[in-house]
């Protein structure tokens, strides 16, 4: 049986490089398609003899149902099936073309989204067991380009292909009616190449939806790939990447080994899963009317990971340019890589004093600068955290109020960084009330906490950066299975705040004496105390 691969838009740019690289690695026939028959034949002639695979060209305009049907019939009659499908054909109409936004949106969505969908519908019945499908997409098609209400729809685990189609048609019709911004879509001034970006958001979402509908027993894998900004006719001469580099991950996804189950339904870049399902949930309701913003990241979750950031950290557009690489959205992506198969929740502080000092007043009593006061052990940090996670899950997964939270038995990892550790310290103070039966509402929630991480804890107060009272540490040691402490010289060797290092040592020593599963690691110990390495810990813990 002859193996067969089809690459649409294979006559130039990234598509040409995909065919060229496949020709050296794919044992079979590669069908290079192009809108222009002569250009396709010329491209084949350039590659033939350079690899081991047989290459043939086929005329295909992915916006033509007749062309698509002809390709399907050709593959079916000549080969009987299909092993690799790379949907690469696409257009980008530059703003300099003078074409209206409405026409641009219609053309881009028709070609990039509906063309890809129509090819998939036609060719999927020909896919053999262990086939690989690659939809070339772009990080420009991020959920960030649409309003939260639309993010929720695109991100819904219940989304169907028909509903995805309806959303893309709604985008085009709203642009034509001049209601794009009003209805939550990008306008001409909000993002670069909005029509192209929306079409690629559609392709990425379509990939995740269609992957779920494939028969898992047949071993077919379907993924989207972002090649990056490449020096092609579409990308222009100033792009950072060569088309050869852009093609590599497409080929990687097209040749994933047999019997592999992952990645599937994911967006890949540089041969790695790229987390594109990042949502900013504004003003999420928690305990007794308290509210916090949540940055969500993750898919195929099997546990919750909750992160409390430190001073300075905020949304990227509200941070000093010197520290923007540690903004909340970036931290969510870092955590997604650090904790795969997790639902990541970055909790934005309740407020910021003079745009710098993080204040977690919804979790712990604190002064103007966010310095905590833990004397109130019934403040409700645990109740608020539980309510926030529940509300966040219901928004992200679109779970009606009357239906059960399907993540209600997920383990929970809680991480505090710098000032964010004050929330973990407040939780320690509240554990005694829960575990002794004083407040039974949280027994199940606390039993799900599998680990707590202290990352370079510290704040501007003059004491109590680490808990040292054995009365509270006893409950931490007894009820939290895993305790991890990661520090840098910035906190524990700061001569202007010597109590931080002393308290951290007491915290660890007492936990060890109480039999806790606690591990400690000092990072960058050979470096002078530095805010740079303090933040760098977020990449290395």
């Amino acid at each position: 049986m002859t193996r067969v691969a089809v690459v649409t838009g294979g006559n130039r740019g990234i598509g040409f490089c995909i065919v060229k690289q496949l020709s050296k690695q794919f044992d079979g026939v590669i069908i290079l398609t192009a809108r222009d028959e002569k250009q396709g034949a010329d491209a084949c002639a350039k590659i033939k003899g350079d690899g081991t695979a047989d290459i043939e060209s086929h005329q295909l305009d992915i916006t033509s149902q007749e062309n698509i049907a002809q390709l399907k019939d050709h593959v079916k009659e000549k080969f009987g099936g299909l092993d690799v499908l790379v949907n690469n054909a696409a257009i980008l109409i530059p703003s300099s073309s003078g074409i209206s936004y409405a026409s641009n949106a219609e053309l881009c969505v028709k070609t990039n989204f509906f063309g890809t969908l129509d090819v998939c519908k036609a060719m999927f019945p020909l896919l053999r067991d262990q086939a690989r499908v690659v939809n070339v997409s772009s990080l420009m098609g991020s959920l960030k380009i649409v309003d939260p209400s639309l993010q929720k729809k695109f991100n819904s685990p219940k989304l169907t292909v028909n509903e995805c189609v309806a959303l893309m048609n709604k985008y085009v019709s709203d642009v034509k009616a001049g209601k794009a911004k009003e209805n939550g879509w990008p306008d001409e001034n909000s993002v670069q190449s909005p029509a192209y970006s929306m079409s690629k958001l559609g392709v990425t979402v379509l990939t995740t939806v269609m992957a779920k509908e494939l028969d898992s027993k047949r071993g077919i894998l379907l993924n989207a790939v972002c090649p990056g900004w490449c020096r092609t006719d579409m990308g222009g001469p100033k792009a950072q990447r060569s088309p050869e580099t852009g093609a590599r991950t497409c080929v990687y996804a097209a040749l994933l080994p047999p019997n592999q189950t992952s990645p599937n339904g994911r967006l890949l870049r540089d041969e790695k899963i790229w987390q594109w399902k990042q949502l900013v949930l504004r003003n999420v309701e928690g305990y007794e009317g308290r509210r916090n913003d949540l940055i969500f990241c993750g898919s195929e979750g099997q546990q919750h990971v909750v992160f409390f950031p430190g001073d300075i950290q905020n949304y990227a557009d509200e941070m000093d340019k010197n520290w923007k690489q540690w903004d909340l959205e970036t931290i969510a992506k870092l955590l997604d890589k650090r904790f795969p198969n997790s639902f990541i929740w970055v909790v934005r502080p309740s407020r910021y004093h003079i745009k710098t000092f993080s204040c977690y007043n919804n979790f712990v009593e604190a002064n103007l600068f966010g310095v905590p006061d833990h004397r109130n052990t019934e403040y409700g940090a645990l109740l608020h955290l539980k309510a926030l996670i529940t509300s966040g899950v219901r928004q992200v997964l679109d779970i009606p109020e009357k239906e059960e939270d399907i993540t209600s038995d997920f383990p929970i990892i809680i991480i505090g960084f710098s000032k964010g550790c004050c929330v973990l310290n407040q939780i320690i103070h509240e554990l005694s009330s829960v575990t002794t039966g004083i407040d039974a509402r949280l027994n199940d929630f606390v039993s799900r906490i599998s680990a707590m991480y202290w990352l370079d804890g510290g704040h501007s107060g003059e004491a109590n950066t680490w808990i040292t009272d054995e009365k509270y540490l006893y409950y931490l040691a007894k009820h939290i299975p895993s305790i991890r402490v990661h520090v840098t010289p910035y906190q524990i060797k700061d001569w202007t705040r010597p109590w931080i290092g002393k308290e951290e040592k007491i915290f660890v020593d007492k936990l060890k004496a109480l039999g806790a599963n606690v591990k400690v690691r000092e990072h960058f110990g050979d470096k002078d105390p530095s805010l740079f390495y303090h933040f760098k810990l977020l990449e290395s813990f």
Side-chain angles (χ1 to χ4, degrees):
M1 179 180 67
T2 303
R3 300 189 72 225
V4 185
V6 169
V7 180
T8 67
N11 59 298
R12 61 181 179 174
I14 294 170
F16 180 80
C17 293
I18 291 171
V19 175
K20 192 170 183 178
Q21 292 176 25
L22 272 177
S23 72
K24 299 177 182 179
Q25 303 177 57
F26 182 73
D27 182 18
V29 175
I30 301 172
I31 301 175
L32 178 161
T33 80
R35 276 185 297 178
D36 185 284
E37 190 171 358
K38 183 179 185 304
Q39 289 183 11
D42 290 346
C44 276
K46 290 179 183 178
I47 301 174
K48 279 182 178 179
D50 197 29
T52 59
D54 291 329
I55 304 172
E56 63 176 57
S57 65
H58 195 283
Q59 194 273 329
L60 174 68
D61 177 351
I62 64 170
T63 65
S64 165
Q65 294 285 354
E66 181 181 357
N67 274 190
I68 294 172
Q70 289 170 349
L71 174 65
K72 176 185 177 181
D73 291 343
H74 171 72
V75 173
K76 183 178 181 180
E77 292 170 9
K78 186 172 181 178
F79 303 103
L82 183 62
D83 300 279
V84 172
L85 171 62
V86 180
N87 286 303
N88 168 72
I91 61 170
L92 185 157
I93 304 172
S95 57
S96 58
S97 67
I99 191 173
S100 69
Y101 182 27
S103 296
N104 197 341
E106 185 172 29
L107 286 171
C108 279
V109 170
K110 178 183 179 181
T111 304
N112 302 350
F113 176 77
F114 283 106
T116 298
L117 174 60
D118 289 341
V119 171
C120 286
K121 284 183 175 179
M123 305 306 287
F124 274 18
L126 302 183
L127 293 177
R128 294 172 175 147
D129 291 355
Q130 303 295 323
R132 303 292 182 250
V133 181
V134 179
N135 291 334
V136 179
S137 192
S138 172
L139 295 186
M140 292 174 69
S142 163
L143 282 173
K144 284 184 178 181
I145 67 175
V146 297
D147 280 2
S149 60
L150 289 169
Q151 291 178 10
K152 183 178 177 182
K153 292 179 180 179
F154 277 114
N155 192 48
S156 172
K158 299 177 182 178
L159 189 71
T160 65
V161 171
N162 287 339
E163 288 169 340
C164 189
V165 165
L167 283 168
M168 298 307 294
N169 280 328
K170 182 72 164 59
Y171 160 67
V172 174
S173 64
D174 281 347
V175 172
K176 286 183 173 181
K179 296 182 178 180
K181 187 173 182 179
E182 176 186 337
N183 290 337
W185 308 104
D187 60 20
E188 291 178 279
N189 301 313
S190 61
V191 300
Q192 182 181 6
S193 304
Y196 175 81
S197 298
M198 272 305 307
S199 72
K200 289 302 186 180
L201 172 59
V203 169
T204 303
V205 173
L206 180 68
T207 302
T208 64
V209 174
M210 296 187 85
K212 295 176 183 176
E213 296 182 352
L214 292 170
D215 184 354
S216 60
K217 295 179 182 179
R218 297 187 60 205
I220 300 172
L221 299 180
L222 165 60
N223 291 289
V225 171
C226 172
W229 183 25
C230 299
R231 292 186 294 276
T232 62
D233 291 345
M234 183 184 291
K238 296 182 180 180
Q240 299 171 334
R241 294 184 165 203
S242 68
E244 291 81 7
T245 299
R248 283 175 195 154
T249 301
C250 300
V251 174
Y252 161 81
L255 299 178
L256 288 168
N259 302 315
Q260 192 165 313
T261 59
S262 179
N264 188 34
R266 307 301 293 269
L267 175 63
L268 307 180
R269 180 184 165 99
D270 297 332
E271 300 184 11
K272 296 179 181 177
I273 294 173
W274 185 271
Q275 183 46 249
W276 65 277
K277 285 190 174 183
Q278 186 179 81
L279 298 174
V280 176
L281 307 178
R282 307 274 184 174
N283 213 25
V284 178
E285 185 172 3
Y287 174 60
E288 291 188 338
R290 304 176 195 178
R291 293 177 181 271
N292 284 84
D293 287 3
L294 298 176
I295 294 83
F296 168 80
C297 202
S299 61
E300 300 179 7
Q302 298 173 13
Q303 64 180 359
H304 292 298
V305 176
V306 185
F307 179 85
F308 295 94
D311 289 338
I312 303 175
Q313 291 181 284
N314 202 339
Y315 296 128
D317 57 2
E318 297 189 36
M319 286 183 67
D320 182 276
K321 64 181 181 180
N322 295 316
W323 305 106
K324 274 191 175 181
Q325 68 265 42
W326 309 114
D327 67 85
L328 303 183
E329 296 96 325
T330 300
I331 296 304
K333 291 179 181 177
L334 283 174
L335 291 169
D336 182 62
K337 293 179 182 178
R338 173 69 174 79
F339 297 94
N341 300 319
S342 301
F343 284 162
I344 308 296
W345 307 94
V346 174
V347 182
R348 186 172 183 256
S350 313
R351 63 179 179 85
Y352 292 86
H353 182 57
I354 55 175
K355 296 184 178 181
T356 300
F357 298 97
S358 300
C359 303
Y360 285 98
N361 298 75
N362 283 347
F363 290 90
V364 57
E365 290 184 351
N367 68 13
L368 188 64
F369 290 84
V371 176
D373 181 345
H374 298 293
R375 287 176 293 181
N376 183 354
T377 60
E378 298 179 2
Y379 192 73
L382 280 166
L383 286 166
H384 184 46
L385 177 58
K386 178 186 178 183
L388 272 182
I389 294 176
T390 300
S391 295
V393 167
R394 290 193 177 279
Q395 285 194 40
V396 169
L397 300 184
D398 197 22
I399 302 174
E401 281 298 323
K402 294 182 180 180
E403 291 187 16
E404 183 182 359
D405 173 5
I406 59 176
T407 74
S408 59
D409 60 348
F410 279 17
I412 301 167
I413 295 174
I414 304 175
I415 305 170
F417 170 67
S418 197
K419 174 77 75 61
C421 290
C422 72
V423 178
L424 278 68
N425 292 345
Q426 179 65 25
I427 288 173
I428 293 176
H429 281 82
E430 296 183 10
L431 279 177
S432 60
S433 297
V434 176
T435 56
T436 55
I438 296 175
D439 191 342
R441 291 174 296 176
L442 291 165
N443 279 337
D444 178 64
F445 183 76
V446 168
S447 71
R448 291 163 54 201
I449 301 176
S450 61
M452 295 177 73
Y453 285 72
W454 277 259
L455 307 182
D456 231 13
H459 53 68
S460 55
E462 297 182 356
N464 298 321
T465 51
W466 296 83
I467 306 303
T468 58
D469 190 333
E470 193 170 313
K471 176 177 65 176
Y472 298 110
L473 293 180
Y474 167 80
Y475 294 100
L476 176 64
K478 185 176 180 181
H479 294 283
I480 305 303
S482 179
I483 301 164
R484 299 294 178 258
V485 176
H486 296 263
V487 292
T488 76
Y490 177 76
Q491 299 284 23
I492 63 170
K493 293 180 181 178
D494 183 355
W495 65 269
T496 66
R497 299 178 296 164
W499 60 86
I500 294 180
K502 293 177 182 177
E503 288 181 353
E504 183 265 339
K505 187 177 186 306
I506 295 171
F507 173 82
V508 172
D509 288 346
K510 286 191 174 181
L511 284 174
K512 287 181 177 179
L514 289 166
N517 175 16
V518 57
K519 293 183 179 179
V520 185
R521 181 182 173 189
E522 181 181 352
H523 300 251
F524 314 115
D526 59 337
K527 308 293 184 182
D528 291 332
S530 160
L531 193 59
F532 172 81
Y533 287 110
H534 173 59
F535 279 109
K536 197 72 175 173
L537 174 63
L538 293 168
E539 291 181 337
S540 60
F541 81 96

